Amino acid sequence: MRASVQPVVIRRAVALGGLAAIVLLVVLLTGGGNAGSHTLYATVSDATNLIKGQELKAGGGKIGVIDDVRAIDGGAKARLTLSVEDRAWPLPKDTTFTARFGGTAAFYNRHILVTPGKEGGASLTEGADIPALDFRVPVEVDQLLSVFDTDVRRDLKSFVNRSGETLDRSQEPLRKTLDKTPQAITQAARVFEDLTDDRNALSLTLTKTDDVVDAVRRADPGLERLLTGAATTFSAIADKQTQLKTTVERLPGMLAQTRSTLTKAEGTLDDAGALATKLHPGVRQLRTIAAPLNDVLASVQTIAPDANATLATVRRSTPQVNTFLKRTTTLTPQIGSIADKAIENLNCIRPYTPELMGLLTTWGDFMSWSDTKDKYLRARVENFLPTPTNDVPQTPAQLKQTFPDLRYGFPRPPGYNAGQPWYIDECGAGKDAVDPSKDVEGAASFTNKIPTAAGGTK
């Protein structure tokens, strides 16, 4: 009987020992769980790809983990439970938390970057809710690209094409305009200075103009009588035309020496008679115009004070205008330089138009919940272990040697993706851009530093 029990006891002891070893290994690997940690909560509007177990990092080292991610308000928000280790506690109250991508080309495997606030002030308490302004989430790719729908992409393409042509055509006129603008502004400033130099003379001119307008208005009845008298005189001359002709014909005996002159005067008087006849209707029209002219002069008199006040306002504002014009004159060379650089930059952007439109077309609905017609669910259920570092210790040249088939281009020349690169040396996208050994980030000054578990570097 004892012989049969002993093997069973031995097997149980071995099993218990193995189980204890597994528990010890788990404890060692997980750092003993969350013992000695402190809990904080955060409510965010978007917790895309944030999962339980991802790390909280500060200074390049781990200081905690995400304990739980739970949807609230019907999925409109997410409630995060954060666990902070003893060695990083307490955190200043103005500490900020930022959800970061796993890497420059990784949308998943994220972590929370903790940026401690100022020391010496208030601290976050156990179980506190992190203020919404202190917890930041990144802008997702689909949020950015969903703005570029079909109409926006079409309009953007049209804008890029037309702006390039417009800037090419207007480059020279714009440069000439910017060159001449300082001279024009200087002359305008001098005009305003001249207007304000002799303020007494300007005020006297306005006063005399007002007096003249008033005198014309008051003299209106006399002007009407003058025109009426002129009309009567012309009418009388027209009536006496025949008598004047007879008198001239009877004068040859008395004025023999002036006969030839009077013969020529006869034709002149005939023309004068015809002119008087033609002027008669016009004089009647002048009488009709007199009344509206009176109203016009009255309006001029009414406007004169407003004009005087306007010029006074201009006189008071002249110092500020002069200051503005002088400042504009000083900034004109900088504006011209900015315009020149903008033209150069657009010339470097235009060759990338196919890549820009291809990106918007291909990635427009990436990670989106809608295809602009129907709502659907796209899910990828995975579990990611936190990445201790996102740095790559190898230079681009070393990676090219390790992976000979690796395509390389930084900055990538236009058309590189299609196998038809367009090298633009003046834009920094020449043949050196596809040579890993000439990558500026591979130089000694850009050597990557790998963070250690204690927060230092090696």
Side-chain angles (χ1 to χ4, degrees):
M1 186 68 177
R2 292 181 181 178
S4 60
V5 173
Q6 187 175 2
V8 175
V9 174
I10 294 174
R11 287 196 298 269
R12 289 180 179 178
V14 172
L16 290 175
L19 179 60
I22 293 175
V23 172
L24 178 61
L25 179 62
V26 171
V27 170
L28 292 176
L29 290 177
T30 59
N34 292 331
S37 62
H38 304 270
T39 303
L40 295 174
Y41 298 96
T43 301
V44 296
S45 59
D46 188 1
T48 302
N49 296 322
L50 291 178
I51 60 177
K52 179 179 179 180
Q54 290 178 333
E55 296 180 349
L56 277 65
K57 291 185 176 182
K62 173 186 173 183
I63 65 168
V65 296
I66 299 178
D67 269 350
D68 186 46
V69 179
R70 180 168 50 90
I72 60 174
D73 293 345
K77 296 181 180 179
R79 181 75 167 171
L80 304 181
T81 303
L82 309 180
S83 177
V84 182
E85 296 177 359
D86 271 342
R87 63 190 183 92
W89 190 265
L91 292 173
K93 196 169 185 178
D94 56 346
T95 298
T96 59
F97 301 78
T98 306
R100 301 297 296 269
F101 290 104
T104 56
F107 296 101
Y108 300 98
N109 198 22
R110 303 188 179 184
H111 64 274
I112 305 298
L113 175 63
V114 181
T115 304
K118 297 180 181 179
E119 297 181 356
S123 302
L124 291 172
T125 59
E126 180 74 26
D129 280 293
I130 301 171
L133 294 178
D134 293 339
F135 199 106
R136 304 162 188 168
V137 294
V139 177
E140 302 297 332
V141 176
D142 62 316
Q143 294 175 354
L144 176 63
L145 297 182
S146 61
V147 178
F148 295 88
D149 55 18
T150 303
D151 294 337
V152 174
R153 293 198 299 271
R154 182 186 64 250
D155 295 341
L156 179 61
K157 179 179 179 181
S158 176
F159 169 76
V160 172
N161 291 335
R162 293 181 180 178
S163 62
E165 296 175 359
T166 301
L167 289 174
D168 285 341
R169 295 176 181 176
S170 61
Q171 181 176 359
E172 189 61 28
L174 179 61
R175 182 179 289 107
K176 293 181 179 179
T177 301
L178 292 174
D179 291 339
K180 295 181 180 180
T181 299
Q183 301 175 4
I185 294 176
T186 301
Q187 295 298 328
R190 291 176 180 175
V191 170
F192 281 102
E193 290 176 357
D194 292 340
L195 285 175
T196 56
D197 283 344
D198 195 349
R199 300 182 179 178
N200 294 331
L202 181 61
S203 178
L204 180 62
T205 299
L206 294 174
T207 303
K208 292 300 181 183
T209 301
D210 184 47
D211 294 341
V212 170
V213 173
D214 183 63
V216 172
R217 183 188 64 82
R218 287 187 280 102
D220 177 63
L223 179 61
E224 183 178 1
R225 287 194 297 271
L226 176 62
L227 295 175
T228 303
T232 303
T233 300
F234 287 131
S235 299
I237 292 175
D239 294 339
K240 298 298 184 180
Q241 176 184 357
T242 304
Q243 297 177 6
L244 288 174
K245 181 178 181 182
T246 302
T247 301
V248 172
E249 290 176 350
R250 292 178 181 179
L251 287 178
M254 298 175 60
L255 303 172
Q257 295 181 356
T258 60
R259 178 175 298 175
S260 59
T261 304
L262 292 176
T263 300
K264 298 178 180 179
E266 181 180 357
T268 303
L269 292 175
D270 288 339
D271 295 337
L275 177 61
T277 302
K278 294 179 180 179
L279 286 176
H280 185 67
V283 172
R284 292 180 180 178
Q285 294 297 326
L286 285 176
R287 292 176 181 175
T288 305
I289 296 173
L293 181 61
N294 188 21
D295 295 337
V296 172
L297 293 175
S299 299
V300 172
Q301 183 183 16
T302 304
I303 294 173
D306 295 336
N308 193 4
T310 300
L311 290 175
T313 302
V314 172
R315 182 177 66 249
R316 291 192 300 270
S317 303
T318 299
Q320 291 84 358
V321 174
N322 287 342
T323 302
F324 170 74
L325 293 175
K326 291 179 181 179
R327 180 58 178 167
T328 305
T329 303
T330 305
L331 295 176
T332 298
Q334 300 178 12
I335 295 174
S337 176
I338 292 172
D340 290 339
K341 293 180 179 179
I343 292 173
E344 294 176 1
N345 291 334
L346 285 174
N347 287 335
C348 291
I349 294 175
R350 283 188 61 201
Y352 287 95
T353 300
E355 281 83 354
L356 292 173
M357 302 314 300
L359 173 66
L360 298 178
T361 302
T362 305
W363 294 71
D365 64 339
F366 181 72
M367 296 175 64
S368 174
W369 297 96
S370 171
D371 61 356
T372 70
K373 294 182 180 179
D374 301 307
K375 298 292 183 179
Y376 60 91
L377 175 65
R378 178 184 298 170
R380 176 180 292 177
V381 181
E382 296 180 0
N383 186 20
F384 295 92
L385 293 175
T387 304
T389 177
N390 290 314
D391 293 332
V392 179
Q394 290 84 11
T395 64
Q398 293 171 343
L399 287 175
K400 183 67 176 179
Q401 293 177 357
T402 305
F403 305 100
D405 295 332
L406 180 67
R407 296 182 61 186
Y408 180 87
F410 181 78
R412 185 166 296 184
Y416 185 79
N417 290 346
Q420 299 177 355
W422 177 7
Y423 299 113
I424 309 175
D425 293 331
E426 60 272 18
C427 299
K431 292 185 177 180
D432 290 348
V434 298
D435 187 352
S437 63
K438 296 182 180 179
D439 191 312
V440 296
E441 294 187 359
S445 59
F446 291 94
T447 301
N448 293 316
K449 296 183 179 181
I450 304 175
T452 63
T457 58
K458 63 177 180 179

